[in-house]
Amino acid sequence: MEAGIGIFIICCMSLLSPFSGVKEGELRGCSPAPNCISSQSWKYNYVHNVSPLLYEGDRKLAFSKLYAFIQNSENIHLDEVVSDEYIRVTYFTKVFRFPDRVELYFPPNEQIVQIRSHSWIGLWDVFANRIRKVKLQKVLTGADPPKKDEIIP
């Protein structure tokens, strides 16, 4: 009985993630549930920490590459765009249409993109957020995103 209550609480915590957006130059942290990654979560929760996306050249070009990829992809809804520094989208899984929120922040004077990807439903994301991060990095570097059979969770 106690284990069931504990699992229920952890699942509910995944729905109660911090608000989205950038505050004082940083994306919000991840909830305690293991269904989130963030390149800025080291001081909040080091388990969810991933490296930021890297790019070379102009920030506006990097922004436009990611923006074009989002616009031309299936199952992605563009939620918010702030000039050339912030994008928030919702990914939907193909089969069950589970939503995942992805935030991309382009800090000024740096050639990185801070990323936060959070699954709204469920306790574990089966590495979907980490795979998504790799795909977005390949979009920025000009390499083709990996094919479905190349992805090994």
Side-chain angles (χ1 to χ4, degrees):
M1 180 70 172
E2 290 85 18
I5 293 172
I7 291 173
F8 176 74
I9 289 172
I10 290 173
C11 288
C12 288
M13 287 176 8
S14 70
L15 295 174
L16 300 174
S17 67
F19 297 104
S20 61
V22 178
K23 183 177 181 184
E24 298 175 2
E26 290 190 2
L27 296 170
R28 307 294 176 117
C30 289
S31 70
N35 61 357
C36 179
I37 62 166
S38 174
S39 59
Q40 294 184 311
S41 71
W42 185 254
K43 69 182 186 181
Y44 303 111
N45 188 337
Y46 65 90
V47 172
H48 302 305
N49 190 285
V50 294
S51 60
L53 303 173
L54 304 173
Y55 65 89
E56 294 181 6
D58 186 39
R59 179 171 100 164
K60 290 186 180 194
L61 178 61
F63 184 91
S64 64
K65 281 182 181 180
L66 287 176
Y67 184 79
F69 172 75
I70 290 165
Q71 290 290 87
N72 296 320
S73 297
E74 293 180 15
N75 301 323
I76 302 177
H77 179 264
L78 186 62
D79 297 329
E80 181 180 2
V81 177
V82 177
S83 63
D84 62 346
E85 66 180 46
Y86 178 76
I87 300 173
R88 186 180 74 219
V89 298
T90 303
Y91 276 74
F92 293 95
T93 60
K94 290 190 179 196
V95 178
F96 296 112
R97 309 287 297 160
F98 293 139
D100 294 350
R101 176 184 294 146
V102 177
E103 296 176 274
L104 303 167
Y105 171 55
F106 296 73
N109 305 321
E110 296 182 68
Q111 290 184 317
I112 61 172
V113 180
Q114 300 290 357
I115 183 171
R116 179 178 185 271
S117 184
H118 178 253
S119 300
W120 287 7
I121 298 173
L123 177 62
W124 190 45
D125 66 350
V126 194
F127 300 111
N129 292 312
R130 293 179 188 276
I131 292 168
R132 184 176 297 124
K133 185 227 176 224
V134 170
K135 285 182 183 180
L136 292 173
Q137 180 62 63
K138 288 187 177 195
V139 169
L140 277 177
T141 58
D144 293 328
K147 295 179 177 67
K148 192 174 187 179
D149 58 345
E150 295 175 346
I151 298 171
I152 301 171

